[in-house]
């Protein structure tokens, strides 16, 4: 027996099928982020900043008293920069073939050759516990942001000569540059500051409310927006020129780092073991796009602008020990997580 289907129903069915096909295509193009690779590093001890050299296809990962240098494409450790006690961050100056490591325990900077990874010099900072470190190519100056010193040491990156010490009026955290000025978060005053790298002075500072204790800092150069991540589970966006707060978004717990790429800011939430993706829909409009599972302890982050993948560092943890603030790190489990679509 045959049944006739009215023409109106056929048209409705075709319309429904077309709608479903377009929906499937849209879902496919908007693929979510996930951990796509684990790169083992091993060893013992804690970690801090992740630094990506997209041109050389390397990740510099601080780790206890050394820096592990990872080949991005091969996913293997290509070398190690040793004797960087209390290492925090790495700044790169490809135009000088030099890299710089902030060694917090020795109040110093380790200078290395970017090709051979050999140490070529050690410079003393003018403040205690150099943490964030930044090379400003326009002036060829190196900035160390000294946590306990609450100041910044400015070096001539070609000679190691100290040019200035800048009083920051608080504990500095992450920094970034737009090629003209240097920006730094001040954690204990919940502020952000602009530094003129030529004059080596603070030009301007402003509160980051509703942010409390800002750490990670990233820049959208195109729209002149700065993204600060804060301990009260908030990402705050400021105008890079006026330092006026123009937006905010909720993020996870235990954040330390943030990266920006392709109209999105990525917050690494170590306590939650998540990465918050905040979409910059317009220069003054931001919304949480997704929350991506990563791993507990993955609190710092950097982006590879070539592949648009994110790199986060973490390890496995043992059971809590009475009297210790943090659970012990399981030896040999330290690794990089690569996150992509």
């Amino acid at each position: 027996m045959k049944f006739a289907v009215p023409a109106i129903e056929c048209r409705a069915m075709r319309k429904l099928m077309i709608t479903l096909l377009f929906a499937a295509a849209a879902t496919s193009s908007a693929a979510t982020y996930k951990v796509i690779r684990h790169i083992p590093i091993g060893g013992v001890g804690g970690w801090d900043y992740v630094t990506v050299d997209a041109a050389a296809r390397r990740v510099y990962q601080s780790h206890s008293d050394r820096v592990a240098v990872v080949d991005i494409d091969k996913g293997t450790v290509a070398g190690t920069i040793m004797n960087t006690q209390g290492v925090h961050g790495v700044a790169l100056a490809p135009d000088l073939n030099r890299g710089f490591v902030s060694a917090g325990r020795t109040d110093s900077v380790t200078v290395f050759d970017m090709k051979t990874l050999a140490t070529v010099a050690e410079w003393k900072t003018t403040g205690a516990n150099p943490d964030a470190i930044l090379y400003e190519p326009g002036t060829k100056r190196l900035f160390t942001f000294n946590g306990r010193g609450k100041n910044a040491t400015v070096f001539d990156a070609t000679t190691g000569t100290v040019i200035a010490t800048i009083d920051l009026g608080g504990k500095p955290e992450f920094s970034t540059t737009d090629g003209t000025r240097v920006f730094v978060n001040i954690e204990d005053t919940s502020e952000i500051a602009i530094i003129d790298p030529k004059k080596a002075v603070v030009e301007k500072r402003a509160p980051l409310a509703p942010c409390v204790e800002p750490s990670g800092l990233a820049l959208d150069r195109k729209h002149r927006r700065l993204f600060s991540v804060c301990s009260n589970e908030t990402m705050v966006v400021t105008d890079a020129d006026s330092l006026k707060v123009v937006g905010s978004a909720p993020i996870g717990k235990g954040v330390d780092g943030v990266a920006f790429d392709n109209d999105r800011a990525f917050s690494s939430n170590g306590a939650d073991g998540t990465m918050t993706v905040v979409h910059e829909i317009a220069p003054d409009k931001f919304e949480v796009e997704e929350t991506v599972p990563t791993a507990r302890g993955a609190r710092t982050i950097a982006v590879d602008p070539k592949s648009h993948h994110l790199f986060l560092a973490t390890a496995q943890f043992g059971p809590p020990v009475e009297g210790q603030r943090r659970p012990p790190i399981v030896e040999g489990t330290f690794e990089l997580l690569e996150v992509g679509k």
Side-chain angles (χ1 to χ4, degrees):
M1 179 180 287
K2 295 181 180 179
F3 295 90
V5 180
I8 190 169
E9 291 186 21
C10 288
R11 288 196 297 270
M13 289 174 65
R14 282 197 297 271
K15 186 176 180 180
L16 176 60
M17 290 179 68
I18 291 169
T19 301
L20 291 172
L21 284 170
F22 273 107
T27 302
S28 176
S29 64
T32 59
Y33 288 86
K34 63 180 180 180
V35 176
I36 60 175
R37 185 166 57 161
H38 295 255
I39 302 175
I41 296 176
V44 297
W47 57 90
D48 206 345
Y49 294 80
V50 190
T51 302
V52 173
D53 182 350
R57 311 308 300 143
R58 284 176 167 177
V59 172
Y60 292 84
Q61 177 58 60
S62 61
H63 187 206
S64 185
D65 61 352
R66 65 197 64 189
V67 176
V69 185
V70 175
D71 184 307
I72 294 176
D73 298 326
K74 294 179 180 178
T76 58
V77 176
T80 307
I81 303 165
M82 299 297 295
N83 300 319
T84 56
Q85 301 295 324
V87 59
H88 287 288
V90 178
L92 302 175
D95 56 324
L96 305 178
N97 187 38
R98 290 289 183 265
F100 308 94
V101 183
S102 56
R105 287 189 198 141
T106 55
D107 300 335
S108 65
V109 173
T110 298
V111 186
F112 66 92
D113 183 295
M114 287 182 64
K115 290 186 174 68
T116 66
L117 304 181
T119 297
V120 297
E122 185 177 298
W123 303 339
K124 284 292 183 179
T125 60
T126 56
N129 188 32
D131 190 341
I133 187 167
L134 179 142
Y135 174 66
E136 202 289 299
T139 56
K140 297 189 187 301
R141 291 181 173 181
L142 180 76
F143 293 75
T144 65
F145 295 93
N146 310 314
R148 285 195 299 275
K150 297 188 176 183
N151 59 13
T153 305
V154 187
F155 293 94
D156 181 328
T158 64
T159 65
T161 303
V162 174
I163 294 171
T165 300
I166 305 172
D167 181 7
L168 295 173
K171 181 180 180 293
E173 266 288 343
F174 286 61
S175 62
T176 189
T177 181
D178 64 358
T180 303
R181 294 176 297 175
V182 172
F183 306 90
V184 59
N185 279 336
I186 311 298
E187 183 180 40
D188 52 355
T189 62
S190 299
E191 293 179 302
I192 189 168
I194 297 177
I195 295 172
D196 182 321
K198 291 182 180 179
K199 297 178 181 177
V201 296
V202 174
E203 274 189 343
K204 189 174 186 177
R205 58 195 303 141
L208 281 173
C211 170
V212 175
E213 297 179 342
S215 52
L217 181 64
L219 172 67
D220 169 12
R221 291 193 176 207
K222 179 181 177 181
H223 296 114
R224 307 287 301 156
R225 294 294 181 258
L226 290 157
F227 296 81
S228 299
V229 289
C230 315
S231 68
N232 60 332
E233 300 170 43
T234 304
M235 179 186 292
V236 168
V237 190
T238 55
D239 182 291
D241 299 308
S242 67
L243 296 189
K244 178 184 176 182
V245 173
V246 296
S248 64
I251 57 174
K253 295 180 181 178
V255 65
D256 199 14
V258 62
F260 184 85
D261 181 61
N262 199 24
D263 293 331
R264 285 162 179 81
F266 304 88
S267 165
S268 49
N269 316 310
D272 282 351
T274 63
M275 181 183 78
T276 307
V277 183
V278 175
H279 187 194
E280 184 184 26
I281 299 169
D284 296 336
K285 186 177 181 181
F286 313 91
E287 69 176 20
V288 174
E289 191 170 69
E290 63 175 315
T291 300
V292 182
T294 53
R296 180 186 176 196
R299 59 186 177 81
T300 51
I301 189 170
V303 64
D304 172 15
K306 181 179 178 181
S307 66
H308 305 288
H309 291 178
L310 292 305
F311 291 89
L312 305 88
T314 192
Q316 295 176 25
F317 298 89
V321 176
E322 187 176 352
Q324 292 188 11
R325 188 163 60 97
R326 296 174 179 170
I329 299 165
V330 177
E331 184 176 349
T333 64
F334 184 56
E335 65 176 356
L336 272 180
L337 306 179
E338 184 176 356
V339 176
K341 288 190 176 183

